[in-house]
Amino acid sequence: MKDKVLKGSSSPIVTLSATALTSISKIAFSDKSKNRRKESKLQIYPEYPSWMHDRPNLTWDFYPNAEKFEVDCEVNKLALSAQEDMIVDDLLNCMSGFEGKFIKTPSLGDKHAERTFHIERSLDPAMRELAKRILPVCSHYSLIIRFVEEKSEFKWGLVNHALCASIRELLKNHFVFICQLENLQRKGNLSLQKLWYYVNPIMGFMEILASIIKVINKGDCCGSAVIDILYEKVLAYSGDPKLQELIFYLGQTTSRPYFEMLRDWIFKGQINDPYNEFMITEDKDITKEKLKEDFNEKFWEKKYSINSQNIPKFLATISEKILLTGKYLNAIFETGSMLVKDVNSNELVGFENVPAKTDNKSRRFDLPEPVEIYFTVKEEVYKQIVENAYNFSSKILLNLLLKDHRLIDRLRSLKHYFLLDQSDFMVHFMDIAEEELDKPNTEIRLNKIESLLEVSLRITSANSDPYKDDLRCKFLLNDLKSMVIKIQGITQKNVELELDSEKSKNLKGLDAFVLDYAIKWPLSLIINKKTLFKYQILFRHLFLMKHVERQLLTVWLCTKSGEMCLGRSYPYYSLACALRQRMLNFVQNFLNYMTFEVIESSWNTFETNLKEVANIDNVIEHHAKFLDTCLRDCIITNDSFLLIQKILSECIMFSVFVQGVTKNIKDKEETSQLEWKSMTLKESQERRKKILQEISDDLNKMVSDEAFATSIKSYDDKFSKLLLDLLAKIINDMSNGLGETKIGNVLYRLDFNDHYRNQIEKMRLSQSMIHQ
């Protein structure tokens, strides 16, 4: 193609159409080219030594001269043949960048300006007019050579360097052409008319080249903007095959560095972009190790991103797929995995899974050979190449996670521990660690809690989990409410930012305890710090519910003797027992709702979706959707969350109060049980009657106290009010369009017979009457 182009075009001088020039100018003056220019100026690139600018004779362009010209002789006194020889010699010099005796050029104020020429006025008018027709070639040459010298500097990028290199190749033939003309001149066979005849075919070539350079210079274009200009030019000159072939050659050579970057990215997952010209940018400050350290670190979203200013127009529609293709390959190579392609099965497998005795001819130890990408106006070619690379990389990374790293098993392990899928280990842990967790978090020894957790894992069903050793525990400095506030508006860089020091010191171990999980690359793409944070919120909410349930069951143990002794003769004691049962009913129903109706249901949907995923982004999307659904339907990200927390706090305060006032009764029961073991049957029965009488006396004294009745009534009123407020809020949410969630099931569980709903209606009716 290059040989054809260098022969020139036989067509006459071609001028750009107004439509083509306007379209290309828009590209040059677009915001993206201006912004790219600003960005390139921020980069520090090597510069040419100063002596290259201090020595003007080093240029291939015209040497700057004064504005006034003095001719060496009077031309009008010479014969016409002598004038013709001298003007032909001057024109050949000007075509090479040198002034002649009768054709001069002034210095340029602007380095991008178009060069003008002055012809001696005394020259024969016919010759002078013919020389003016040839001079545009000299002007175009000057503009072209200045462009090549300027854009060859490092700061203008590889695309401009490639364009300059291709122009130099074209200029070589320009100089050969001048040498051929000079040879004819020496033989006396080159008249001015013949010179015009020989120069005319290259006029169109020089003009189109100069017009491209003008557009690039006006926009200070580099990178994809230059490729866009050539792409638009190719389309604009579809009616002139020879000039289109010239521009196509420039497009092919100029775009080669960009397409090499693209090929490295979609076939190797690497970015080789020293001048920030490629559409994909890399944030080198973000590393995979930070996924475990920084809460807001978004490795998958921010490590590699699209720079919209550097996208060629013909790749805009597939830019997202280009980004994902390289990201997938990069993630594969970050794992250090070696892929082997079995030629017989045409399947990629891990190198370690290939038999050692396998013949080398039946396997290859590398990825498929990268496909060469060439400049073309057919966008389908680019789409096909990118689509093939995308399908390959997405399939490999997905198999790597699902099969080699057993992603689904890992997620199930997280579900067992954080979502209490198999919570027998947690029951045992709370039994043996309750005393330690009841201390302030600053007084708890973490190694002791970890030992107790390990014991619980070893002696329960969790012992069969191969990933149990990755489970950790830790104590945070903020409570569950603070975590929920963060998940609703995450702005901090670190999830473990210290709160008020006094509040942190007063936080009990039960409130600060949370599970943690050790995740390695590449699983950290799916289970990153932010995802684990959501699991921890769900765990702390469930753990708190379990703790409240245990406290209320302990209250039942404390009051069962009183029920036997007092029966229903004391209304406030009966009210305390009824309140305990209402609280326990609320907690157990809410726990069942969260575990069975929300978590299990959402997990089944999540597992079903995982069977149909096509790439890792689908996995991330479905996993995030699963967690967000659980947080939403468990009423954690809802405004009702604070009401639930208040209800749970009220249950804990009630439990502490009842356990406090019945502590003596419980102690007597435990002491008597130890004594009965060493007594005979008759003695034990008598002792039991005595103990029951003492308990009855103590209970009579306790329930007769006015403070007890006041406290129980206060707890009952507060609990009833908070419960009604919660149910009213749920009813209001359902009426406001939240009915598509499972939040209404809470109402059906807690108010299956419309008892509370009727109270809410009466309360609203009375409030409306008061306002009237």
Side-chain angles (χ1 to χ4, degrees):
M1 179 186 294
K2 185 177 77 173
D3 295 335
K4 293 181 181 179
V5 168
L6 297 179
K7 290 177 182 178
S9 171
S10 58
S11 59
I13 298 175
V14 179
T15 21
L16 283 172
S17 66
T19 307
L21 188 58
T22 304
S23 174
I24 296 167
S25 298
K26 285 181 179 178
I27 298 174
F29 293 110
S30 62
D31 292 335
K32 79 173 189 176
S33 62
K34 294 178 182 178
N35 293 335
R36 189 186 295 107
R37 185 173 69 252
K38 292 178 182 177
E39 289 178 4
S40 64
K41 290 181 179 179
L42 297 176
Q43 302 293 330
I44 300 176
Y45 299 118
E47 294 185 358
Y48 285 165
S50 57
W51 52 264
M52 292 194 67
H53 305 285
D54 298 338
R55 300 179 182 180
N57 285 323
L58 290 176
T59 181
W60 284 77
D61 192 24
F62 293 87
Y63 185 83
N65 285 318
E67 294 293 334
K68 296 180 179 180
F69 310 112
E70 296 180 1
V71 294
D72 297 334
C73 63
E74 296 181 4
V75 182
N76 55 358
K77 295 181 179 180
L78 299 175
L80 290 178
S81 60
Q83 291 185 33
E84 185 177 22
D85 289 339
M86 296 180 72
I87 201 66
V88 166
D89 188 62
D90 278 8
L91 286 172
L92 292 177
N93 285 331
C94 288
M95 290 171 65
S96 303
F98 300 97
E99 287 185 335
K101 293 181 180 179
F102 307 107
I103 301 177
K104 304 287 185 178
T105 177
S107 300
L108 298 176
D110 180 9
K111 61 181 179 180
H112 296 156
E114 191 169 357
R115 188 171 293 278
T116 58
F117 294 89
H118 297 279
I119 305 175
E120 171 61 32
R121 294 181 180 277
S122 59
L123 188 68
D124 180 73
M127 295 183 183
R128 194 167 182 272
E129 192 62 32
L130 192 55
K132 284 183 179 181
R133 295 185 183 182
I134 301 174
L135 282 177
V137 175
C138 308
S139 178
H140 295 332
Y141 166 80
S142 174
L143 183 64
I144 293 167
I145 201 66
R146 274 180 281 141
F147 174 84
V148 170
E149 291 177 353
E150 178 191 359
K151 302 301 180 182
S152 295
E153 295 183 15
F154 291 100
K155 64 181 180 180
W156 293 106
L158 295 176
V159 173
N160 274 322
H161 295 171
L163 177 59
C164 292
S166 60
I167 292 175
R168 284 195 189 98
E169 288 295 321
L170 297 177
L171 289 178
K172 284 181 183 179
N173 279 284
H174 174 74
F175 293 131
V176 170
F177 173 66
I178 293 173
C179 291
Q180 292 172 344
L181 294 176
E182 288 177 344
N183 187 42
L184 289 174
Q185 183 195 22
R186 290 192 183 97
K187 293 179 179 180
N189 295 329
L190 185 64
S191 63
L192 192 56
Q193 287 287 347
K194 282 186 177 182
L195 178 60
W196 165 245
Y197 172 78
Y198 288 129
V199 168
N200 188 54
I202 68 168
M203 293 287 284
F205 151 69
M206 296 295 281
E207 182 175 1
I208 190 64
L209 203 54
S211 67
I212 292 172
I213 288 172
K214 287 177 184 177
V215 177
I216 295 175
N217 283 338
K218 286 180 181 179
D220 277 354
C221 300
C222 56
S224 62
V226 176
I227 300 174
D228 280 342
I229 291 171
L230 294 172
Y231 184 79
E232 291 288 337
K233 284 276 191 177
V234 171
L235 296 178
Y237 279 85
S238 57
D240 191 332
K242 292 187 177 180
L243 285 180
Q244 187 185 43
E245 190 175 8
L246 163 68
I247 305 168
F248 193 81
Y249 164 74
L250 292 175
Q252 276 193 326
T253 54
T254 302
S255 60
R256 190 171 298 160
Y258 193 93
F259 287 142
E260 286 179 359
M261 296 181 219
L262 178 61
R263 189 180 62 170
D264 286 345
W265 175 247
I266 65 174
F267 290 107
K268 299 179 182 178
Q270 300 173 356
I271 294 180
N272 299 314
D273 182 19
Y275 299 102
N276 295 328
E277 297 174 285
F278 191 46
M279 67 169 73
I280 309 298
T281 58
E282 177 184 7
D283 189 342
K284 295 184 178 179
D285 294 332
I286 300 177
T287 60
K288 63 183 181 182
E289 287 76 16
K290 287 190 176 182
L291 287 170
K292 306 173 186 177
E293 302 169 2
D294 196 341
F295 174 76
N296 243 3
E297 194 61 68
K298 296 183 177 180
F299 178 89
W300 190 249
E301 293 85 358
K302 300 294 184 181
K303 174 68 175 177
Y304 298 102
S305 57
I306 294 177
N307 185 351
S308 57
Q309 300 170 359
N310 290 346
I311 304 177
K313 283 187 174 182
F314 49 86
L315 296 179
T317 56
I318 54 175
S319 58
E320 282 292 335
K321 194 159 284 189
I322 290 172
L323 171 66
L324 294 177
T325 302
K327 281 169 67 175
Y328 294 160
L329 286 176
N330 186 267
I332 293 170
F333 294 128
E334 285 281 356
T335 63
S337 299
M338 190 177 203
L339 297 177
V340 178
K341 186 171 183 181
D342 191 331
V343 176
N344 295 330
S345 63
N346 204 31
E347 290 291 332
L348 285 164
V349 295
F351 178 69
E352 63 278 3
N353 296 328
V354 178
K357 295 183 179 180
T358 305
D359 187 8
N360 288 335
K361 295 181 180 179
S362 64
R363 61 180 184 174
R364 290 191 300 165
F365 304 110
D366 56 354
L367 296 174
E369 289 295 329
V371 177
E372 289 291 339
I373 306 175
Y374 298 104
F375 180 83
T376 177
V377 293
K378 298 178 180 179
E379 295 186 17
E380 294 77 12
V381 175
Y382 304 116
K383 290 180 180 179
Q384 187 62 43
I385 293 173
V386 173
E387 186 70 29
N388 293 339
Y390 171 79
N391 292 335
F392 171 82
S393 60
S394 60
K395 177 183 176 182
I396 295 304
L397 180 58
L398 191 61
N399 289 339
L400 186 69
L401 285 172
L402 294 180
K403 295 181 180 179
D404 294 0
H405 293 272
R406 301 185 179 277
L407 174 63
I408 297 179
D409 292 341
R410 282 283 185 177
L411 293 172
R412 285 177 183 150
S413 178
L414 282 173
K415 179 171 175 275
H416 293 335
Y417 301 130
F418 287 86
L419 305 184
L420 303 183
D421 181 17
Q422 297 176 354
S423 58
D424 54 336
F425 85 94
M426 186 53 62
V427 173
H428 190 273
F429 173 73
M430 294 175 77
D431 286 337
I432 61 178
E434 188 171 14
E435 184 179 350
E436 189 73 16
L437 291 175
D438 200 41
K439 299 177 183 178
N441 63 336
T442 54
E443 299 177 12
I444 299 175
R445 291 180 300 166
L446 183 60
N447 58 348
K448 182 177 181 179
I449 296 297
E450 287 182 340
S451 300
L452 295 175
L453 178 62
E454 185 176 358
V455 169
S456 302
L457 293 173
R458 299 293 178 187
I459 64 175
T460 58
S461 62
N463 191 42
S464 60
D465 183 8
Y467 309 114
K468 60 181 178 297
D469 294 332
D470 292 331
L471 190 66
R472 307 282 188 272
C473 62
K474 62 196 297 188
F475 291 94
L476 302 181
L477 297 179
N478 45 8
D479 57 8
L480 179 58
K481 293 179 184 177
S482 303
M483 292 182 76
V484 172
I485 290 172
K486 285 190 178 78
I487 203 66
Q488 289 174 342
I490 299 166
T491 54
Q492 292 85 351
K493 273 195 170 183
N494 194 342
V495 70
E496 296 175 3
L497 288 175
E498 293 189 6
L499 303 177
D500 183 73
S501 58
E502 291 299 323
K503 184 177 179 181
S504 301
K505 289 179 181 178
N506 295 331
L507 204 62
K508 282 191 174 183
L510 284 165
D511 299 322
F513 175 76
V514 70
L515 294 179
D516 200 4
Y517 204 80
I519 293 293
K520 297 180 180 179
W521 180 268
L523 291 173
S524 53
L525 284 174
I526 311 298
I527 312 169
N528 52 35
K529 189 70 175 176
K530 181 178 178 180
T531 301
L532 199 59
F533 182 64
K534 294 180 180 180
Y535 274 108
Q536 289 173 336
I537 287 179
L538 288 165
F539 168 77
R540 292 185 79 172
H541 194 41
L542 292 168
F543 183 73
L544 178 60
M545 286 279 188
K546 287 283 186 182
H547 170 63
V548 173
E549 183 185 24
R550 287 173 60 85
Q551 292 296 311
L552 292 173
L553 291 173
T554 304
V555 170
W556 176 80
L557 291 174
C558 294
T559 58
K560 67 176 182 178
S561 298
E563 293 179 18
M564 294 173 57
C565 299
L566 298 177
R568 299 180 180 277
S569 56
Y570 291 91
Y572 284 105
Y573 189 80
S574 300
L575 180 62
C577 295
L579 179 59
R580 179 213 68 219
Q581 189 58 39
R582 289 172 60 207
M583 289 180 172
L584 188 60
N585 179 67
F586 168 80
V587 173
Q588 289 178 337
N589 273 290
F590 207 90
L591 261 174
N592 290 335
Y593 161 74
M594 288 194 298
T595 52
F596 292 105
E597 298 190 30
V598 175
I599 295 174
E600 284 299 328
S601 174
S602 301
W603 176 261
N604 290 335
T605 303
F606 175 50
E607 274 197 326
T608 303
N609 291 333
L610 281 183
K611 296 176 182 178
E612 302 174 357
V613 293
N615 53 59
I616 195 65
D617 286 276
N618 295 149
V619 177
I620 294 173
E621 180 185 351
H622 290 312
H623 190 216
K625 185 178 180 181
F626 161 70
L627 290 173
D628 291 340
T629 301
C630 290
L631 289 170
R632 181 196 65 196
D633 290 345
C634 288
I635 320 182
I636 294 177
T637 54
N638 190 287
D639 295 339
S640 304
F641 173 75
L642 294 178
L643 282 173
I644 296 173
Q645 290 298 300
K646 289 179 181 179
I647 292 174
L648 296 178
S649 298
E650 201 65 30
C651 294
I652 292 175
M653 288 189 290
F654 169 76
S655 301
V656 171
F657 171 74
V658 174
Q659 291 179 52
V661 298
T662 59
K663 187 176 185 303
N664 293 333
I665 300 172
K666 185 179 180 182
D667 292 342
K668 284 183 180 180
E669 283 186 335
E670 292 176 352
T671 304
S672 64
Q673 288 176 1
L674 293 174
E675 292 174 353
W676 294 341
K677 292 180 180 180
S678 59
M679 294 180 182
T680 62
L681 180 60
K682 187 176 181 180
E683 288 174 345
S684 64
Q685 289 177 348
E686 291 177 357
R687 180 62 179 165
R688 179 174 176 78
K689 289 179 182 179
K690 185 179 178 181
I691 291 296
L692 288 175
Q693 184 60 44
E694 291 177 4
I695 290 174
S696 179
D697 294 340
D698 292 342
L699 285 172
N700 284 327
K701 183 179 178 182
M702 180 189 71
V703 298
S704 301
D705 188 2
E706 188 177 344
F708 176 80
T710 304
S711 299
I712 294 299
K713 186 68 170 66
S714 174
Y715 285 124
D716 185 72
D717 292 342
K718 289 180 181 178
F719 177 78
S720 298
K721 183 180 183 306
L722 289 171
L723 184 58
L724 287 174
D725 289 345
L726 174 63
L727 296 178
K729 181 71 170 60
I730 292 174
I731 293 172
N732 186 57
D733 288 344
M734 292 177 64
S735 63
N736 288 338
L738 296 179
E740 67 274 6
T741 67
K742 299 182 179 67
I743 196 171
N745 294 353
V746 179
L747 182 65
Y748 304 139
R749 280 181 171 271
L750 299 176
D751 191 25
F752 60 91
N753 59 356
D754 289 343
H755 171 73
Y756 292 114
R757 190 188 293 266
N758 293 333
Q759 290 190 30
I760 293 170
E761 292 298 329
K762 290 179 182 179
M763 185 174 61
R764 288 179 177 175
L765 183 61
S766 60
Q767 288 177 353
S768 62
M769 291 178 67
I770 292 172
H771 289 307
Q772 289 177 359

